């Protein structure tokens, strides 16, 4: 007699733990009952992200780069599983390579995006990038794995904490990626993954006063309402683009300019 | 300098009557006397101006060799320098700021901005390697009344350097230097339609923001209006930069050079009557030096000369408008009602005109309106702290994040504070310094996007095949 397989329960990923939705709701998709996050789950995720921010933002860039590299290492070991949950091996390769690429940017962004400024006076003046804070991401519906990684990695590399709404139709790859993150030295709360109805979750994220920036690339249809909500606390809004660029990472960075007199 | 009795709109290189038919006087805030009548553009005027900018963009400006574009902008910088006296007088006359400041800060910096960005025009490929920078198209620019010509320069110079054309709306109370600037454009021989000036009030600004043929909106002003603009462009592909309000903390540690720090405090809040978005309006003093700092500050406030903006001895000029004076008075009354202790040095204010004495509030709690809201006037709120951690927490306890100041003789502490203060510009042992090479702009609700420096070019460019963000 063949062995009956043990199935996985797909849950949310908030603050480094895997809770069910506080609402108790699920929806059936990809042959699984996936958690259907509520407004309160969004708020919990934002709180977890805010709490995790100081540690992640305060790491040295070298250290943060190594943590992102570690994510790629952990994914590599689960290639077969990811291939089944996504568009196949090619997509997994692309996702792993994207982590590697951004891992290498961690300690270079400031040199490409920042500057030393030759002001007309006896002052030392420089401009450096800093994380904007908590970033909300509405991940693309497809591809389910690389779509998510290509939006999350550039937000993470500069030191932001992230709350991401996974692909609604293909959420399993996102939750499996959360298992990788949980075992990759990424501090709990730095990435929070919500599954459920985007139409329900995205407006909560867009209007949340403690979210500093929002990526709407994964919004299908009209984004006007979400952008209007985002204006309430002057959120930085990222509209589209295919990622894979330090300028994409820069969209989640603030530029700080520091002046000091030169004298004896 | 001879003022016209009445000014039209500057569209397509010509002065035109407003289709709206509306004119309003612009008034000297120091005398309450009208200086000239200025057109108030309406929807139709905005449409014609955007059309002129689009035509100039498509028929030449964007395809001009970039080195030629650079030379036009260099010419503008030179003409501004040559006519600096005229501009300084007009700026103080129309806006109420001390002539010493117009002469030494506003006008020279405006010219410097054009000179700086002129040089970038034919070097964009070096600023953005591998990104193939392209102009965006027509830029709608709305500027405030606190630094009229300088804000014009911050907006127009990078827009032109990157190959865009412009429709600019000056603030309703300070249109005159923008109108005089049109004569600089004539002298520089700038092709018609590359820069168009539509004067008017918020109605013209709103029409400009929502015009479908505008590709980029740049706004400097209040956070409230900034949010309305962000909402208005929601769902479009317009790019946006916002430079909004502030409530900057100026943090004084017990080892600071006190006399210099007091000069920094005074410059931070009384410069330009406190009509400065990055003004150091919250003073955070370490408890152990509270008494000597306040004593020195009060003594120094007693030497500030408040009065005629055209007198070169004046330190604090006129409040820009009656409306702004009302707002300052309302917030000051709220501060007294909430329990803060007010001090104003004995000084006689002119009988005519809108003036307000330099003011400091002590015994201020973080929750008071004068500690939370932007007053945009010569009013300082003093709070205290014990440890650097507490200073950081209090300084960051605001929805704004435009600027901050730190005063200490300890280098490592400056860098500790600078890295923790959530603000776009941090001044260590100085305050209110500006330079065209130095990016300026806010965190949080102080807006997004940068003006100045290489980074100030980006909001006016598209990049082929690269991600696009609202602010970037």
């Amino acid at each position: 007699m063949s062995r009956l397989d043990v199935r996985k329960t797909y849950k949310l990923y908030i603050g480094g733990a895997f809770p069910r939705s506080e609402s108790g709701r699920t929806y059936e998709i990809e042959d699984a009952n996936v958690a259907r996050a509520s407004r309160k789950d969004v708020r919990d995720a934002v709180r977890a992200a805010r709490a995790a921010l100081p540690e992640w933002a305060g790491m040295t860039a070298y250290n943060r780069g190594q943590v992102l590299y570690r994510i790629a290492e952990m994914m590599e070991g689960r290639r077969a599983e990811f291939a089944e949950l996504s568009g196949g091996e090619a997509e997994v390769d692309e996702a792993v390579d994207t982590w590697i690429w951004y891992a290498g940017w961690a300690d270079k962004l400031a040199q490409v995006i920042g500057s030393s400024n030759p002001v007309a006076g006896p002052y030392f003046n420089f401009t450096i990038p800093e994380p904007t804070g908590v970033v909300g991401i509405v991940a693309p519906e497809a591809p389910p794995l690389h779509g998510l990684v290509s939006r999350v990695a550039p937000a993470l590399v500069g030191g932001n904490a992230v709350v991401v709404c996974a692909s609604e139709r293909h959420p399993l790859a996102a939750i499996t990626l959360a298992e990788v993150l949980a075992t990759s030295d990424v501090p709990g709360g730095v990435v929070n993954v919500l599954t459920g109805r985007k139409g329900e979750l995205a407006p909560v994220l867009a209007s949340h006063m403690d979210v500093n920036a929002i990526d709407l690339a994964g919004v299908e249809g009209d984004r006007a309402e979400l952008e209007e909500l985002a204006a309430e606390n002057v959120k930085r809004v990222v509209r589209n683009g295919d990622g894979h660029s330090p300028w994409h990472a820069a969209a989640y960075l603030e530029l700080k300019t520091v002046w000091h007199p030169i004298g004896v | 300098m001879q003022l016209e009795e009445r000014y039209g709109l500057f569209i397509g290189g010509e002065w035109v009557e407003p289709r709206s038919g509306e004119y309003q006087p612009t008034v000297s805030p120091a005398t309450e006397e009208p200086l000239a009548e200025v057109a108030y553009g309406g929807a139709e005027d905005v449409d014609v101006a955007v059309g002129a900018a689009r035509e100039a963009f498509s028929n030449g400006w964007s395809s001009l060799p970039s080195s030629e574009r650079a030379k036009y902008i260099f010419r503008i910088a030179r003409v501004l320098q040559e006519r600096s006296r005229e501009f300084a007088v007009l700026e103080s006359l129309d806006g109420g700021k001390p002539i010493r400041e117009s002469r030494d800060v506003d006008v020279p910096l405006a010219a410097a901005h054009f000179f700086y960005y002129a040089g970038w025009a034919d070097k964009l490929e070096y600023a953005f390697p591998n990104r193939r920078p392209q102009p965006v198209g027509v830029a709608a620019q709305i500027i405030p009344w606190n630094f009229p010509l300088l804000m014009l320069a911050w907006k127009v110079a990078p827009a032109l350097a990157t190959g865009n054309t412009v429709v600019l709306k000056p603030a309703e109370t300070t249109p005159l230097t923008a109108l005089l600037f049109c004569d600089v454009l004539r002298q520089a021989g700038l092709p018609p339609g590359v820069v168009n000036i539509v004067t008017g009030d918020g109605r013209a600004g709103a029409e400009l923001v929502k015009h479908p043929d505008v590709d980029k909106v740049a706004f400097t002003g209040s956070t409230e209006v900034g949010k309305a603009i962000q909402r208005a462009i929601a769902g479009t592909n317009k790019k946006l930069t916002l430079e909004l309000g502030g409530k900057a903390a100026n943090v004084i540690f017990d080892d600071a050079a006190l006399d210099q720090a007091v000069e920094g405090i005074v410059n931070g809040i009384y410069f330009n009557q406190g009509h400065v978005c990055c003004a150091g309006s919250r003073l955070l003093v370490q408890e152990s030096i509270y008494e000597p700092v306040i004593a020195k500050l009060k003594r120094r406030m007693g030497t500030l000369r408040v009065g005629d903006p055209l007198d070169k001895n004046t330190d604090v000029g006129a409040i820009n408008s009656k409306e702004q004076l009302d707002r300052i008075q309302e917030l000051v009354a709220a501060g007294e009602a909430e329990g803060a202790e007010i001090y104003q040095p004995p000084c006689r204010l002119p009988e005519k005109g809108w003036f307000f004495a330099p003011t400091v509030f002590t015994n201020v709690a973080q929750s008071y309106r004068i500690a939370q809201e932007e007053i945009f006037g010569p009013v300082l709120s003093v709070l205290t702290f014990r440890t650097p951690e507490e200073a950081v927490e209090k300084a960051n306890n605001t929805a704004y994040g435009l600027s901050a100041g730190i005063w200490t003789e300890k280098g490592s502490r400056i860098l500790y504070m600078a890295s923790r203060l959530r603000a776009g510009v941090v001044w260590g042992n100085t305050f209110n310094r500006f330079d065209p090479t130095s990016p300026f702009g806010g965190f949080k609700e102080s807006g997004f996007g940068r003006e100045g420096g290489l980074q100030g070019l980006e909001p006016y460019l598209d990049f082929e095949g690269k991600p696009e963000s609202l602010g970037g």
Side-chain angles (χ1 to χ4, degrees):
Chain A
M1 195 176 115
S2 68
R3 178 177 175 275
L4 192 65
D5 58 349
V6 179
R7 289 184 188 162
K8 190 194 299 185
T9 307
Y10 288 94
K11 297 189 286 188
L12 307 175
Y13 182 54
I14 299 176
F18 291 90
R20 292 188 169 83
S21 169
E22 61 81 35
S23 68
R25 302 176 306 176
T26 60
Y27 70 115
E28 191 178 345
I29 194 87
E30 294 185 303
D31 299 324
N33 291 314
V34 172
R36 188 176 153 197
S38 67
R39 305 167 71 87
K40 181 162 189 311
D41 291 319
V42 177
R43 292 197 291 267
D44 289 346
V46 171
R47 197 176 307 121
R50 179 61 60 188
L53 188 63
E55 184 189 352
W56 183 243
M59 269 186 193
T60 65
Y62 175 44
N63 202 352
R64 205 156 51 230
Q66 289 185 89
V67 172
L68 296 189
Y69 187 86
R70 179 79 175 157
I71 298 171
E73 288 180 341
M74 292 295 103
M75 271 188 80
E76 187 85 6
R78 296 172 69 164
R79 287 170 50 86
E81 187 186 0
F82 276 115
E84 226 167 88
L85 296 176
S86 67
E89 274 184 26
E91 189 187 334
V92 181
D93 292 349
E94 215 182 345
V96 172
D97 291 354
T98 295
W99 283 120
I100 302 278
W101 196 73
Y102 278 110
W105 269 115
D107 50 9
K108 295 162 193 72
L109 278 174
Q111 290 178 316
V112 172
I113 290 159
S115 57
S116 160
N117 311 309
V119 295
Y123 297 92
F124 186 58
N125 177 305
F126 59 91
T127 300
I128 46 167
E130 286 192 3
T132 195
V134 175
V135 175
I137 295 176
V138 183
E141 282 300 300
L145 179 64
H146 185 248
L148 183 108
V149 171
S150 66
R151 311 306 297 186
V152 172
L156 283 187
V157 64
N160 296 289
V162 161
V163 176
V164 56
C165 298
S167 167
E168 186 171 329
R169 296 191 288 276
H170 308 284
L172 298 193
I175 291 298
T176 306
L177 180 69
E179 293 163 12
V180 163
L181 297 170
T183 54
S184 300
D185 305 328
V186 182
V190 168
V191 183
N192 302 276
V193 181
L194 302 173
T195 51
R197 303 284 183 231
K198 279 184 184 170
E200 195 181 351
L201 304 176
V204 185
L205 210 46
S207 59
H208 200 297
M209 293 299 278
D210 206 26
V211 172
N212 302 95
I214 189 158
D215 174 359
L216 298 178
V219 174
E220 292 178 338
D222 192 11
R223 51 168 213 275
E225 190 204 331
L226 295 172
E227 287 193 19
E228 276 178 38
L229 293 171
E232 190 50 39
N233 66 335
V234 197
K235 277 185 192 67
R236 289 79 176 115
V237 177
V238 176
R239 284 169 173 162
N240 50 32
D242 56 2
H244 218 71
S245 146
W247 311 105
H248 188 164
Y252 304 110
L253 297 173
E254 303 292 336
L255 290 167
K256 177 183 279 179
T257 298
V258 182
W259 291 69
H260 197 276
I262 298 169
V264 289
Chain B
M1 182 183 55
Q2 188 65 48
L3 281 176
E4 307 285 335
E5 270 180 34
R6 173 179 261 210
Y7 289 88
L9 306 170
F10 188 72
I11 296 176
E14 291 177 352
W15 293 103
V16 298
E17 297 273 321
R19 283 160 174 77
S20 67
E22 190 179 343
Y23 289 88
Q24 297 288 342
T26 182
V27 171
S28 160
T31 62
E32 302 177 45
E33 303 285 342
L35 297 166
E37 288 214 318
V38 174
Y40 268 40
E44 235 184 302
D45 299 300
V46 165
D47 186 54
V48 175
V50 172
R54 173 61 58 191
E55 197 183 318
F57 179 77
S58 307
N59 300 342
W61 183 248
S62 63
S63 54
L64 197 71
S66 54
S67 53
E68 298 296 294
R69 215 163 63 216
K71 290 194 289 190
Y72 277 117
I73 307 169
F74 277 125
R75 277 190 187 177
I76 293 172
R78 280 300 200 225
V79 178
L80 271 178
Q81 288 172 331
E82 287 156 7
R83 300 180 64 175
S84 60
R85 178 65 63 93
E86 252 177 289
F87 274 98
V89 170
L90 191 56
E91 198 73 304
S92 286
L93 205 55
D94 199 20
K97 66 174 60 199
I99 184 73
R100 202 176 62 225
E101 183 208 315
S102 307
R103 184 194 66 191
D104 296 347
V105 181
D106 293 53
V107 178
L109 266 179
H113 265 267
F114 280 101
F115 199 90
Y116 174 75
Y117 276 112
W120 269 126
D122 54 359
K123 300 169 190 68
L124 299 175
E125 300 292 335
Y126 300 94
F128 303 101
N130 287 326
R131 294 186 81 190
R132 282 171 292 158
Q134 306 289 326
V136 173
V138 175
Q141 307 183 317
I142 301 172
I143 57 171
W145 45 259
N146 56 344
F147 295 91
L149 181 72
L150 183 57
M151 292 299 105
L152 175 149
W154 281 28
K155 296 278 182 291
V156 174
L160 296 189
T162 46
N164 299 282
T165 57
V166 163
V167 179
L168 177 122
K169 193 198 85 67
E172 58 185 294
T173 61
T174 54
L176 293 182
T177 46
L179 294 169
L180 183 62
F181 180 73
C182 299
D183 201 48
V184 173
L185 300 176
R186 175 188 65 81
Q187 290 187 319
L190 194 76
V194 172
V195 174
N196 306 275
I197 310 271
V198 176
T199 46
D201 59 15
R203 292 170 296 171
E207 293 295 337
L208 193 51
V209 166
K210 73 177 190 204
H211 195 287
D213 206 26
V214 159
D215 301 292
K216 194 251 166 350
V217 176
F219 171 75
T220 296
S222 74
T223 290
E224 188 191 347
V225 175
K227 288 178 180 179
I229 290 174
Q230 191 175 352
R231 280 186 204 107
I233 67 149
T236 70
N237 284 318
K238 290 173 187 169
K239 288 167 76 84
L240 178 65
T241 37
L242 296 173
E243 204 271 88
L244 309 177
K247 192 74 190 175
N250 204 358
V251 185
I252 321 292
F253 283 96
D254 59 6
D255 69 335
L258 284 196
D259 290 332
Q260 288 171 35
V262 168
E263 286 307 304
I265 295 165
V266 167
N267 173 45
I269 186 62
Y270 303 121
F271 173 66
N272 201 33
Q273 300 73 249
H275 301 329
V276 185
C277 46
C278 52
S281 52
R282 282 185 302 150
L283 178 65
L284 293 181
V285 189
Q286 198 155 21
E287 259 182 29
S288 50
I289 51 158
Y290 175 79
E291 278 84 12
V293 167
I294 299 303
K296 278 175 187 280
L297 175 62
K298 286 180 176 173
R299 200 178 316 136
R300 179 67 177 88
M301 284 168 73
T303 67
L304 291 174
R305 283 155 299 200
V306 185
D308 183 3
L310 292 175
D311 181 339
K312 60 180 188 270
N313 293 311
T314 294
D315 297 302
V316 178
I319 300 300
N320 184 262
S321 66
K322 177 74 170 57
E323 191 188 1
Q324 186 57 28
L325 182 61
D326 289 345
R327 178 167 165 74
I328 294 167
Q329 285 168 340
E330 193 262 320
L331 273 160
V332 165
E336 289 189 271
E338 282 186 296
E341 195 176 306
I342 189 170
Y343 173 79
Q344 292 175 325
C347 72
R348 215 174 41 241
L349 299 181
E351 306 230 317
K352 281 205 90 179
W354 304 308
F355 290 89
F356 197 82
T359 302
V360 61
F361 275 111
T362 49
N363 281 333
V364 179
Q366 288 190 78
S367 59
Y368 290 179
R369 286 181 65 201
I370 51 169
Q372 290 289 330
E373 295 179 34
E374 184 176 43
I375 300 173
F376 225 63
V379 182
L380 179 66
S381 297
V382 185
L383 300 117
T384 59
F385 68 93
R386 288 180 181 174
T387 63
E389 293 77 14
E390 189 189 348
V392 168
E393 198 181 304
K394 284 187 169 165
N396 289 338
N397 182 19
T398 164
Y400 296 114
L402 189 52
S403 64
I406 310 160
W407 297 82
T408 168
E409 290 298 285
K410 192 175 175 192
S412 59
R413 186 183 285 153
I414 288 176
L415 295 176
Y416 170 93
M417 292 297 293
S419 65
R420 280 164 183 77
L421 293 171
R422 301 289 290 159
V425 183
V426 177
W427 287 293
N429 290 321
T430 184
F431 209 93
N432 273 344
R433 300 287 158 204
F434 310 95
D435 192 273
T437 68
S438 176
F440 183 93
F443 283 28
K444 300 196 282 185
E445 292 191 23
S446 288
F448 47 69
R450 291 294 176 267
E451 296 183 297
L454 179 156
Q455 293 87 345
L457 294 164
E458 195 178 353
Y460 290 96
L461 291 166
D462 274 335
F463 302 97
E464 284 176 24
K466 291 295 192 288
E468 175 199 314
S469 76
L470 195 64

